[in-house]
Amino acid sequence: MRLPDLAGLPDTFILTAGDDPLTPATARYAEKLRAAGVAVEYVRMEGCRHGFTVRAGLASTEKFEEAWARMNGYLKKKLHPCGT
């Protein structure tokens, strides 16, 4: 975030919890990456708390599963861009 130029960084996936004190800074980072020409997929999961993807009870089962599906989907898209 503190680097003056983020150009040339790889495509980036960012997932944040809606109820997380780090979310505003993370959203600014995503915008800074975009401004530098980096492809960014930014997802904010409303109704979730920090750590919800690794600790039970910080989000509903549905939100937990949606977050992991989005992360896995992004990786599959990047690792197998032709859908194979």
Coordinates of all heavy atoms in Angstrom, one line a residue:
M1 N 0.8 -1.2 0.0 CA 0.0 0.0 0.0 C 0.9 1.3 0.0 O 0.5 2.2 -0.6 CB -0.9 0.0 1.2 CG -1.8 1.1 1.4 SD -3.1 1.1 0.1 CE -4.1 2.4 0.7
R2 N 2.0 1.2 0.6 CA 2.8 2.4 0.7 C 3.8 2.6 -0.5 O 4.4 3.6 -0.6 CB 3.7 2.3 2.0 CG 2.8 2.4 3.3 CD 3.7 2.4 4.5 NE 2.8 2.4 5.7 CZ 3.0 1.7 6.7 NH1 4.0 0.9 6.8 NH2 2.1 1.8 7.7
L3 N 3.9 1.6 -1.3 CA 4.7 1.8 -2.5 C 4.2 2.9 -3.4 O 2.9 3.0 -3.5 CB 4.8 0.5 -3.3 CG 5.5 -0.7 -2.7 CD1 5.3 -1.9 -3.5 CD2 7.0 -0.4 -2.5
P4 N 5.0 3.7 -3.9 CA 4.5 4.8 -4.8 C 3.9 4.3 -6.1 O 3.0 5.0 -6.6 CB 5.7 5.6 -5.0 CG 6.9 4.8 -4.8 CD 6.5 3.7 -3.7
D5 N 4.3 3.1 -6.6 CA 3.8 2.6 -7.8 C 3.5 1.1 -7.7 O 4.4 0.3 -7.4 CB 4.9 2.9 -8.9 CG 4.4 2.5 -10.3 OD1 3.2 2.2 -10.5 OD2 5.2 2.4 -11.2
L6 N 2.3 0.8 -7.9 CA 1.9 -0.6 -7.9 C 1.8 -1.3 -9.2 O 1.3 -2.4 -9.3 CB 0.6 -0.8 -7.1 CG 0.6 -0.2 -5.7 CD1 -0.8 -0.4 -5.0 CD2 1.6 -1.0 -4.8
A7 N 2.1 -0.5 -10.3 CA 2.0 -1.1 -11.6 C 2.9 -2.3 -11.8 O 3.9 -2.4 -11.2 CB 2.5 0.0 -12.6
G8 N 2.4 -3.2 -12.6 CA 3.1 -4.5 -12.8 C 2.9 -5.6 -11.8 O 3.3 -6.7 -12.0
L9 N 2.1 -5.3 -10.8 CA 1.7 -6.4 -9.9 C 0.7 -7.3 -10.5 O 0.0 -6.9 -11.5 CB 1.1 -5.8 -8.6 CG 2.1 -5.1 -7.7 CD1 1.4 -4.5 -6.5 CD2 3.2 -6.0 -7.2
P10 N 0.7 -8.6 -10.1 CA -0.2 -9.5 -10.8 C -1.7 -9.2 -10.4 O -2.0 -8.5 -9.5 CB 0.2 -10.9 -10.2 CG 0.8 -10.5 -8.8 CD 1.5 -9.2 -9.0
D11 N -2.5 -9.8 -11.3 CA -4.0 -9.8 -11.0 C -4.2 -10.2 -9.6 O -3.5 -11.0 -9.0 CB -4.7 -10.7 -11.9 CG -4.6 -10.3 -13.4 OD1 -4.1 -9.3 -13.7 OD2 -5.1 -11.1 -14.2
T12 N -5.2 -9.6 -8.9 CA -5.4 -9.7 -7.5 C -6.8 -10.0 -7.1 O -7.7 -9.3 -7.7 CB -4.9 -8.4 -6.8 OG1 -3.5 -8.2 -7.2 CG2 -5.0 -8.6 -5.3
F13 N -7.0 -10.9 -6.2 CA -8.4 -11.2 -5.6 C -8.3 -10.7 -4.2 O -7.4 -11.1 -3.4 CB -8.7 -12.7 -5.7 CG -10.0 -13.0 -5.1 CD1 -11.2 -12.9 -5.8 CD2 -10.1 -13.4 -3.8 CE1 -12.4 -13.2 -5.3 CE2 -11.3 -13.8 -3.2 CZ -12.5 -13.6 -4.0
I14 N -9.3 -9.9 -3.8 CA -9.3 -9.4 -2.4 C -10.7 -9.7 -1.9 O -11.7 -9.3 -2.5 CB -9.0 -7.9 -2.3 CG1 -7.6 -7.7 -2.8 CG2 -9.2 -7.5 -0.9 CD1 -7.3 -6.2 -3.0
L15 N -10.8 -10.4 -0.7 CA -12.1 -10.6 -0.1 C -12.0 -10.1 1.3 O -11.1 -10.4 2.0 CB -12.4 -12.1 -0.1 CG -13.7 -12.5 0.5 CD1 -14.4 -13.6 -0.4 CD2 -13.6 -13.0 1.9
T16 N -13.0 -9.3 1.7 CA -13.0 -8.7 3.0 C -14.4 -9.0 3.7 O -15.4 -9.2 3.0 CB -12.8 -7.2 3.1 OG1 -13.8 -6.5 2.3 CG2 -11.5 -6.8 2.5
A17 N -14.4 -8.9 5.0 CA -15.6 -9.0 5.7 C -16.2 -7.7 5.8 O -15.5 -6.7 6.0 CB -15.3 -9.6 7.1
G18 N -17.5 -7.6 5.8 CA -18.2 -6.3 5.9 C -18.0 -5.6 7.2 O -17.9 -4.4 7.3
D19 N -17.9 -6.5 8.3 CA -17.7 -5.9 9.6 C -16.3 -6.2 10.1 O -16.0 -7.2 10.8 CB -18.7 -6.6 10.6 CG -18.7 -6.1 12.0 OD1 -18.2 -5.0 12.2 OD2 -19.2 -6.8 12.9
D20 N -15.4 -5.4 9.6 CA -14.0 -5.7 9.8 C -13.3 -4.3 9.8 O -13.4 -3.5 8.9 CB -13.4 -6.5 8.7 CG -11.9 -6.9 8.9 OD1 -11.2 -6.2 9.7 OD2 -11.5 -8.0 8.4
P21 N -12.5 -4.0 10.9 CA -11.9 -2.7 10.9 C -10.8 -2.5 9.8 O -10.4 -1.4 9.5 CB -11.2 -2.7 12.3 CG -11.2 -4.1 12.8 CD -12.3 -4.8 12.1
L22 N -10.4 -3.6 9.2 CA -9.4 -3.5 8.1 C -10.0 -3.2 6.7 O -9.3 -2.9 5.8 CB -8.6 -4.8 8.0 CG -7.8 -5.1 9.3 CD1 -7.1 -6.5 9.1 CD2 -6.8 -4.0 9.6
T23 N -11.4 -3.3 6.6 CA -12.0 -3.2 5.3 C -11.8 -1.9 4.7 O -11.5 -1.8 3.5 CB -13.5 -3.6 5.5 OG1 -13.6 -5.0 5.8 CG2 -14.3 -3.3 4.2
P24 N -11.9 -0.7 5.3 CA -11.7 0.5 4.6 C -10.3 0.6 4.0 O -10.1 1.1 2.9 CB -11.9 1.6 5.7 CG -12.8 0.9 6.7 CD -12.4 -0.5 6.7
A25 N -9.3 0.2 4.7 CA -7.9 0.3 4.2 C -7.8 -0.7 3.0 O -7.1 -0.4 2.0 CB -6.9 -0.1 5.3
T26 N -8.4 -1.9 3.1 CA -8.3 -2.8 2.1 C -9.0 -2.3 0.8 O -8.5 -2.5 -0.3 CB -9.0 -4.2 2.5 OG1 -8.3 -4.6 3.7 CG2 -8.8 -5.3 1.5
A27 N -10.1 -1.7 1.0 CA -10.8 -1.1 -0.2 C -10.0 0.0 -0.9 O -9.9 0.1 -2.1 CB -12.2 -0.5 0.2
R28 N -9.3 0.8 -0.1 CA -8.4 1.8 -0.6 C -7.2 1.1 -1.4 O -6.8 1.6 -2.5 CB -7.8 2.7 0.5 CG -8.8 3.7 1.0 CD -8.2 4.8 1.9 NE -7.5 4.2 3.0 CZ -8.0 3.9 4.2 NH1 -9.3 4.1 4.4 NH2 -7.2 3.5 5.2
Y29 N -6.7 0.0 -0.9 CA -5.7 -0.7 -1.5 C -6.1 -1.3 -2.9 O -5.5 -1.1 -3.9 CB -5.2 -1.9 -0.7 CG -4.1 -2.7 -1.3 CD1 -2.9 -2.2 -1.7 CD2 -4.3 -4.1 -1.4 CE1 -1.9 -3.0 -2.2 CE2 -3.3 -4.9 -2.0 CZ -2.1 -4.3 -2.4 OH -1.2 -5.1 -2.9
A30 N -7.4 -1.8 -2.9 CA -7.9 -2.3 -4.2 C -8.0 -1.2 -5.2 O -7.7 -1.4 -6.4 CB -9.3 -2.9 -3.9
E31 N -8.4 0.0 -4.8 CA -8.6 1.1 -5.7 C -7.2 1.6 -6.2 O -7.0 2.0 -7.3 CB -9.3 2.3 -5.0 CG -10.8 2.1 -4.9 CD -11.4 1.7 -6.3 OE1 -11.1 2.4 -7.3 OE2 -12.1 0.7 -6.4
K32 N -6.2 1.6 -5.3 CA -4.8 2.0 -5.7 C -4.3 1.0 -6.7 O -3.6 1.4 -7.7 CB -3.9 2.0 -4.4 CG -2.6 2.6 -4.7 CD -1.8 2.9 -3.5 CE -0.4 3.4 -3.9 NZ 0.4 3.7 -2.7
L33 N -4.6 -0.3 -6.5 CA -4.1 -1.3 -7.5 C -4.8 -1.0 -8.8 O -4.1 -1.1 -9.9 CB -4.5 -2.7 -7.0 CG -3.6 -3.3 -5.9 CD1 -4.3 -4.5 -5.3 CD2 -2.2 -3.6 -6.4
R34 N -6.1 -0.8 -8.8 CA -6.8 -0.5 -10.1 C -6.3 0.7 -10.8 O -6.1 0.7 -12.0 CB -8.3 -0.3 -9.8 CG -9.1 -1.6 -9.5 CD -10.6 -1.4 -9.5 NE -11.2 -2.6 -9.1 CZ -11.9 -2.8 -8.0 NH1 -12.0 -1.8 -7.1 NH2 -12.5 -3.9 -7.7
A35 N -6.0 1.7 -10.0 CA -5.5 3.0 -10.6 C -4.1 2.7 -11.2 O -3.7 3.4 -12.2 CB -5.4 4.0 -9.5
A36 N -3.4 1.7 -10.8 CA -2.1 1.4 -11.3 C -2.2 0.4 -12.5 O -1.2 0.0 -13.1 CB -1.2 0.8 -10.2
G37 N -3.4 0.1 -12.9 CA -3.6 -0.8 -14.0 C -3.7 -2.3 -13.7 O -3.6 -3.1 -14.6
V38 N -3.7 -2.6 -12.4 CA -3.8 -4.0 -12.0 C -5.2 -4.5 -12.0 O -6.1 -3.8 -11.5 CB -3.2 -4.2 -10.5 CG1 -3.3 -5.6 -10.1 CG2 -1.8 -3.7 -10.5
A39 N -5.5 -5.7 -12.6 CA -6.8 -6.2 -12.6 C -7.1 -6.7 -11.2 O -6.4 -7.5 -10.6 CB -6.9 -7.4 -13.6
V40 N -8.2 -6.2 -10.6 CA -8.6 -6.5 -9.2 C -10.0 -7.0 -9.2 O -10.9 -6.4 -9.7 CB -8.4 -5.3 -8.3 CG1 -8.9 -5.6 -6.9 CG2 -7.0 -4.8 -8.3
E41 N -10.2 -8.1 -8.5 CA -11.6 -8.6 -8.2 C -11.7 -8.4 -6.7 O -11.0 -9.0 -5.9 CB -11.8 -10.0 -8.6 CG -13.2 -10.5 -8.3 CD -13.5 -11.8 -8.9 OE1 -12.9 -12.2 -9.9 OE2 -14.4 -12.5 -8.3
Y42 N -12.6 -7.4 -6.3 CA -12.8 -7.1 -4.9 C -14.1 -7.5 -4.4 O -15.1 -7.1 -5.0 CB -12.5 -5.6 -4.6 CG -12.8 -5.1 -3.2 CD1 -12.0 -5.5 -2.2 CD2 -13.9 -4.4 -2.9 CE1 -12.2 -5.1 -0.9 CE2 -14.2 -4.0 -1.6 CZ -13.3 -4.3 -0.6 OH -13.6 -3.9 0.7
V43 N -14.2 -8.3 -3.4 CA -15.5 -8.8 -2.8 C -15.6 -8.4 -1.4 O -14.7 -8.7 -0.6 CB -15.6 -10.3 -3.0 CG1 -16.9 -10.8 -2.3 CG2 -15.4 -10.8 -4.4
R44 N -16.7 -7.7 -1.0 CA -16.9 -7.4 0.4 C -18.1 -8.2 0.8 O -19.2 -8.1 0.3 CB -17.2 -5.9 0.6 CG -17.5 -5.5 2.0 CD -17.6 -4.0 2.1 NE -18.0 -3.7 3.5 CZ -17.9 -2.5 4.0 NH1 -17.5 -1.5 3.3 NH2 -18.3 -2.3 5.3
M45 N -17.9 -9.1 1.8 CA -19.0 -10.0 2.3 C -19.7 -9.3 3.5 O -19.2 -9.3 4.6 CB -18.4 -11.3 2.7 CG -17.6 -12.0 1.6 SD -18.7 -12.7 0.4 CE -19.6 -13.9 1.3
E46 N -20.8 -8.7 3.2 CA -21.6 -8.1 4.3 C -22.1 -9.1 5.3 O -22.4 -10.2 5.0 CB -22.8 -7.3 3.7 CG -22.3 -6.1 2.8 CD -21.5 -5.1 3.5 OE1 -21.6 -4.9 4.7 OE2 -20.7 -4.4 2.8
G47 N -22.2 -8.7 6.5 CA -22.7 -9.5 7.6 C -21.7 -10.5 8.1 O -22.1 -11.5 8.8
C48 N -20.4 -10.3 7.8 CA -19.4 -11.2 8.2 C -18.4 -10.4 9.1 O -18.2 -9.2 8.9 CB -18.7 -11.8 7.0 SG -19.8 -12.7 5.9
R49 N -17.7 -11.1 9.9 CA -16.7 -10.5 10.8 C -15.3 -11.0 10.4 O -15.2 -12.1 9.8 CB -16.9 -10.8 12.3 CG -18.3 -10.1 12.7 CD -18.6 -10.5 14.1 NE -17.5 -10.2 15.0 CZ -17.4 -10.8 16.2 NH1 -18.2 -11.7 16.6 NH2 -16.4 -10.5 17.0
H50 N -14.3 -10.2 10.8 CA -12.9 -10.6 10.4 C -12.6 -12.0 10.8 O -12.9 -12.5 11.9 CB -11.9 -9.6 11.2 CG -10.5 -9.9 11.0 ND1 -9.8 -9.3 9.9 CD2 -9.6 -10.7 11.6 CE1 -8.6 -9.8 9.9 NE2 -8.4 -10.6 10.9
G51 N -12.0 -12.8 9.9 CA -11.6 -14.2 10.2 C -12.7 -15.2 9.9 O -12.6 -16.4 10.2
F52 N -13.8 -14.7 9.3 CA -15.0 -15.6 9.1 C -14.7 -16.8 8.2 O -15.4 -17.8 8.2 CB -16.2 -14.8 8.6 CG -16.2 -14.5 7.1 CD1 -16.9 -15.3 6.2 CD2 -15.5 -13.4 6.6 CE1 -16.9 -15.0 4.9 CE2 -15.5 -13.1 5.3 CZ -16.2 -13.9 4.4
T53 N -13.7 -16.7 7.4 CA -13.4 -17.9 6.5 C -12.6 -19.0 7.1 O -12.5 -20.1 6.6 CB -12.6 -17.4 5.2 OG1 -11.3 -16.8 5.6 CG2 -13.4 -16.4 4.4
V54 N -12.1 -18.7 8.3 CA -11.4 -19.8 9.0 C -11.9 -20.1 10.5 O -11.3 -21.0 11.1 CB -9.9 -19.4 9.1 CG1 -9.2 -19.4 7.7 CG2 -9.7 -18.0 9.8
R55 N -12.9 -19.3 10.9 CA -13.4 -19.5 12.3 C -14.9 -19.6 12.3 O -15.5 -18.6 11.8 CB -12.8 -18.4 13.2 CG -12.9 -18.8 14.6 CD -12.0 -17.8 15.4 NE -12.8 -17.5 16.6 CZ -12.9 -16.4 17.2 NH1 -12.4 -15.3 16.7 NH2 -13.6 -16.2 18.3
A56 N -15.4 -20.6 12.8 CA -16.9 -20.8 12.9 C -17.5 -19.7 13.7 O -16.9 -19.2 14.7 CB -17.2 -22.2 13.5
G57 N -18.7 -19.3 13.4 CA -19.5 -18.4 14.2 C -19.4 -17.0 13.8 O -20.0 -16.1 14.4
L58 N -18.5 -16.6 12.9 CA -18.3 -15.2 12.5 C -19.1 -14.8 11.3 O -19.1 -13.7 10.9 CB -16.8 -15.0 12.3 CG -15.9 -15.2 13.5 CD1 -14.4 -15.0 13.1 CD2 -16.3 -14.3 14.7
A59 N -19.8 -15.8 10.7 CA -20.7 -15.6 9.6 C -21.6 -16.8 9.5 O -21.3 -17.8 10.1 CB -19.9 -15.4 8.3
S60 N -22.6 -16.6 8.7 CA -23.5 -17.8 8.5 C -22.8 -18.8 7.6 O -21.8 -18.5 6.9 CB -24.8 -17.3 7.7 OG -24.4 -16.9 6.4
T61 N -23.3 -20.0 7.7 CA -22.7 -21.1 6.8 C -22.8 -20.7 5.4 O -21.9 -21.0 4.6 CB -23.5 -22.4 7.1 OG1 -23.4 -22.8 8.5 CG2 -23.0 -23.5 6.2
E62 N -23.9 -20.1 5.0 CA -24.0 -19.6 3.6 C -23.0 -18.7 3.2 O -22.4 -18.8 2.1 CB -25.4 -19.0 3.3 CG -26.6 -20.0 3.5 CD -27.0 -20.3 4.9 OE1 -26.6 -19.6 5.8 OE2 -27.7 -21.3 5.1
K63 N -22.7 -17.7 4.0 CA -21.6 -16.7 3.7 C -20.2 -17.4 3.7 O -19.4 -17.0 2.8 CB -21.6 -15.6 4.7 CG -22.8 -14.7 4.7 CD -22.8 -13.8 3.5 CE -23.9 -12.8 3.5 NZ -23.9 -11.8 2.5
F64 N -20.0 -18.3 4.6 CA -18.7 -19.0 4.6 C -18.6 -19.8 3.3 O -17.5 -19.7 2.7 CB -18.7 -20.0 5.8 CG -17.6 -20.9 5.9 CD1 -16.4 -20.5 6.4 CD2 -17.6 -22.2 5.3 CE1 -15.3 -21.3 6.5 CE2 -16.6 -23.0 5.4 CZ -15.4 -22.6 5.9
E65 N -19.6 -20.5 2.9 CA -19.5 -21.3 1.7 C -19.4 -20.4 0.4 O -18.7 -20.7 -0.5 CB -20.7 -22.2 1.6 CG -20.7 -23.3 2.6 CD -21.9 -24.2 2.6 OE1 -22.9 -23.9 1.9 OE2 -21.9 -25.2 3.4
E66 N -20.1 -19.3 0.4 CA -20.0 -18.3 -0.7 C -18.6 -17.8 -0.8 O -18.0 -17.7 -1.9 CB -21.0 -17.2 -0.5 CG -20.9 -16.2 -1.7 CD -21.8 -15.0 -1.5 OE1 -22.6 -14.9 -0.6 OE2 -21.6 -14.0 -2.3
A67 N -18.0 -17.4 0.3 CA -16.6 -16.9 0.3 C -15.7 -17.9 -0.3 O -14.8 -17.6 -1.2 CB -16.2 -16.4 1.7
W68 N -15.7 -19.1 0.2 CA -14.8 -20.1 -0.3 C -15.1 -20.5 -1.8 O -14.2 -20.7 -2.6 CB -14.9 -21.4 0.5 CG -14.0 -21.2 1.7 CD1 -14.4 -20.8 3.0 CD2 -12.6 -21.3 1.8 NE1 -13.3 -20.7 3.8 CE2 -12.2 -21.0 3.1 CE3 -11.6 -21.6 0.8 CZ2 -10.8 -20.9 3.4 CZ3 -10.3 -21.6 1.2 CH2 -9.9 -21.3 2.5
A69 N -16.3 -20.4 -2.2 CA -16.7 -20.7 -3.6 C -16.1 -19.6 -4.5 O -15.6 -19.8 -5.6 CB -18.2 -20.8 -3.8
R70 N -16.2 -18.3 -4.0 CA -15.6 -17.2 -4.8 C -14.1 -17.3 -4.9 O -13.5 -17.1 -5.9 CB -16.0 -15.9 -4.2 CG -17.4 -15.5 -4.4 CD -17.8 -14.2 -3.7 NE -19.1 -13.7 -3.9 CZ -19.4 -12.6 -4.7 NH1 -18.4 -11.9 -5.2 NH2 -20.6 -12.3 -4.9
M71 N -13.4 -17.6 -3.8 CA -12.0 -17.8 -3.8 C -11.6 -18.9 -4.7 O -10.7 -18.7 -5.6 CB -11.4 -18.0 -2.4 CG -11.6 -16.8 -1.5 SD -10.8 -17.0 0.2 CE -12.0 -18.0 1.0
N72 N -12.2 -20.0 -4.6 CA -11.9 -21.2 -5.5 C -12.2 -20.9 -6.9 O -11.4 -21.2 -7.8 CB -12.7 -22.4 -5.0 CG -12.2 -23.0 -3.7 OD1 -11.0 -22.9 -3.4 ND2 -13.0 -23.6 -3.0
G73 N -13.3 -20.2 -7.2 CA -13.7 -19.8 -8.5 C -12.6 -18.9 -9.2 O -12.3 -19.1 -10.3
Y74 N -12.1 -18.0 -8.4 CA -11.1 -17.1 -8.9 C -9.8 -17.8 -9.3 O -9.3 -17.7 -10.3 CB -10.8 -16.0 -7.9 CG -9.8 -15.0 -8.4 CD1 -10.2 -13.9 -9.2 CD2 -8.4 -15.1 -8.1 CE1 -9.3 -13.0 -9.7 CE2 -7.5 -14.2 -8.6 CZ -7.9 -13.1 -9.4 OH -7.0 -12.2 -9.9
L75 N -9.4 -18.7 -8.4 CA -8.2 -19.5 -8.6 C -8.4 -20.4 -9.9 O -7.5 -20.5 -10.7 CB -7.8 -20.3 -7.4 CG -7.2 -19.6 -6.3 CD1 -7.0 -20.5 -5.1 CD2 -5.9 -19.0 -6.7
K76 N -9.5 -21.0 -10.0 CA -9.8 -21.9 -11.1 C -9.7 -21.1 -12.4 O -9.2 -21.5 -13.4 CB -11.1 -22.6 -11.0 CG -11.1 -23.7 -10.0 CD -12.5 -24.3 -9.9 CE -12.5 -25.4 -8.8 NZ -13.9 -26.0 -8.7
K77 N -10.3 -19.9 -12.4 CA -10.3 -19.0 -13.6 C -8.9 -18.6 -14.0 O -8.6 -18.6 -15.2 CB -11.2 -17.8 -13.3 CG -11.2 -16.8 -14.4 CD -12.2 -15.7 -14.1 CE -11.8 -14.9 -12.8 NZ -12.7 -13.7 -12.6
K78 N -8.1 -18.3 -13.0 CA -6.7 -17.9 -13.3 C -5.8 -19.1 -13.7 O -4.9 -18.9 -14.5 CB -6.1 -17.1 -12.1 CG -6.8 -15.8 -11.9 CD -6.6 -14.9 -13.1 CE -7.3 -13.6 -13.0 NZ -7.1 -12.8 -14.1
L79 N -6.0 -20.2 -13.0 CA -5.2 -21.4 -13.3 C -5.6 -22.2 -14.6 O -4.8 -22.8 -15.2 CB -5.1 -22.3 -12.1 CG -4.5 -21.7 -10.8 CD1 -4.7 -22.6 -9.7 CD2 -3.0 -21.4 -11.1
H80 N -6.9 -22.1 -14.9 CA -7.4 -22.8 -16.0 C -8.3 -21.8 -16.8 O -9.5 -21.9 -16.9 CB -8.3 -24.0 -15.6 CG -7.5 -25.0 -14.8 ND1 -6.6 -25.8 -15.4 CD2 -7.5 -25.3 -13.5 CE1 -6.0 -26.6 -14.5 NE2 -6.5 -26.3 -13.3
P81 N -7.7 -20.8 -17.5 CA -8.5 -19.8 -18.2 C -9.3 -20.3 -19.3 O -10.3 -19.6 -19.7 CB -7.4 -18.8 -18.7 CG -6.1 -19.6 -18.7 CD -6.3 -20.6 -17.6
C82 N -9.0 -21.4 -19.8 CA -9.8 -22.0 -20.9 C -11.0 -22.9 -20.4 O -11.7 -23.5 -21.2 CB -9.0 -22.8 -21.9 SG -7.8 -21.7 -22.7
G83 N -11.1 -23.0 -19.1 CA -12.2 -23.8 -18.5 C -11.9 -25.3 -18.5 O -12.8 -26.1 -18.3
T84 N -10.6 -25.7 -18.7 CA -10.3 -27.1 -18.7 C -9.9 -27.6 -17.3 O -9.6 -26.8 -16.5 CB -9.1 -27.4 -19.7 OG1 -8.0 -26.6 -19.3 CG2 -9.6 -27.1 -21.1

